[in-house]
Amino acid sequence: MKKAMKRFIALASALVMVFASTVTVSAAQFTPEQIAAYLQALQAQQAAAAATTQVPATPAIPNGILVIGDSITALSLPYVAGALPGATIDARSGRPFQDTMGSLPDDGLRVLSGYAAAGTLPKKVVIALGSNNNGVLGLAPINMDVMAQVYNICGPNRTVYLVTNYALGGNSDIATNNAVMNLAARTYSNFKILNWAGKAASHPEWIDSLPYDPVTNPNGSDPNLPIYVHPTAQGSVAFAGTLAGAK
């Protein structure tokens, strides 16, 4: 048996030299059985090599919390930072969830994609957007296609917290936003709701209905826009407390 194995190894080595070189060798030097045996051994070797090939590891998801927000988050920034220590807070006044007009460079979806592309999108993502998708500014309300894009960016292994919107006196597009967020939370198991709307609805004193003034009322709303979403100082504390649910 050992002699046969040695002969086979010698034969296989010879065949490797034949197949790997440019020397012309007559196939008559080897029997069909010998060639078949070699090819079978070669296939087994290739299969074994493929089985041990290391699949590149999926990059680890960074720990931490990212908050993407609009003016409500920006006005509440010190309180949000206190409620979520160490969180990255990316907030800009006027930022919509998605730009349906094509004129804004950093809507929520673009910002979210940017963090994902940079490899810095953490395990917890808080999205406090939608108040500017209210129809008043010409931006359409969010829909399930937007939620699907969020899921595709974040994947199933991150927790996504959606902060519901609230407008004093009501707004039909804001109501649509909240309905879509709640549907998304039922559709995607890693989507959660932080219900700012539910909390603010019974506290009108949390929403500033006075006109904006840089000195006397920096949290005020634009007098040219018939919608009130900005928090008072007391409302900012409560808003931050809502976001603390992502800890």
Side-chain angles (χ1 to χ4, degrees):
M1 182 66 178
K2 290 183 178 179
K3 290 182 178 179
M5 181 60 71
K6 288 181 178 179
R7 286 198 301 271
F8 176 76
I9 292 173
L11 171 63
S13 299
L15 282 168
V16 169
M17 294 176 64
V18 169
F19 281 102
S21 69
T22 58
V23 177
T24 302
V25 179
S26 172
Q29 294 181 20
F30 305 102
T31 67
E33 291 78 11
Q34 289 173 327
I35 295 174
Y38 167 72
L39 292 176
Q40 185 177 8
L42 183 61
Q43 288 173 352
Q45 184 182 23
Q46 291 172 337
T52 58
T53 299
Q54 295 294 321
V55 177
T58 302
I61 298 175
N63 290 317
I65 302 174
L66 169 65
V67 180
I68 301 177
D70 51 27
S71 57
I72 300 171
T73 303
L75 292 167
S76 308
L77 188 58
Y79 304 107
V80 173
L84 297 171
T88 298
I89 304 171
D90 189 325
R92 181 185 68 77
S93 179
R95 175 181 287 158
F97 207 126
Q98 87 280 16
D99 176 16
T100 57
M101 297 190 300
S103 59
L104 301 174
D106 68 338
D107 66 353
L109 291 178
R110 288 188 177 92
V111 172
L112 191 63
S113 295
Y115 281 97
T120 56
L121 192 62
K123 289 184 177 179
K124 294 183 176 182
V125 180
V126 179
I127 304 178
L129 295 171
S131 293
N132 289 302
N133 296 92
N134 57 42
V136 176
L137 299 174
L139 293 161
I142 64 176
N143 52 45
M144 284 302 291
D145 178 64
V146 172
M147 295 293 100
Q149 291 182 66
V150 172
Y151 179 80
N152 289 338
I153 295 168
C154 294
N157 298 320
R158 293 180 177 86
T159 303
V160 177
Y161 296 90
L162 301 171
V163 183
T164 56
N165 307 154
Y166 180 72
L168 187 65
N171 176 278
S172 61
D173 286 349
I174 293 290
T176 297
N177 291 343
N178 292 340
V180 169
M181 291 183 199
N182 280 284
L183 177 57
R186 296 192 298 272
T187 302
Y188 304 108
S189 61
N190 58 319
F191 281 27
K192 312 296 180 186
I193 294 294
L194 297 177
N195 195 10
W196 169 239
K199 293 182 177 181
S202 56
H203 291 278
E205 72 277 10
W206 288 357
I207 305 300
D208 198 328
S209 60
L210 298 176
Y212 167 81
D213 184 279
V215 177
T216 62
N217 193 35
N219 282 28
S221 299
D222 186 336
N224 297 313
L225 300 177
I227 185 169
Y228 303 102
V229 297
H230 286 174
T232 60
Q234 185 181 3
S236 288
V237 174
F239 178 76
T242 302
L243 270 57
K247 286 196 295 190

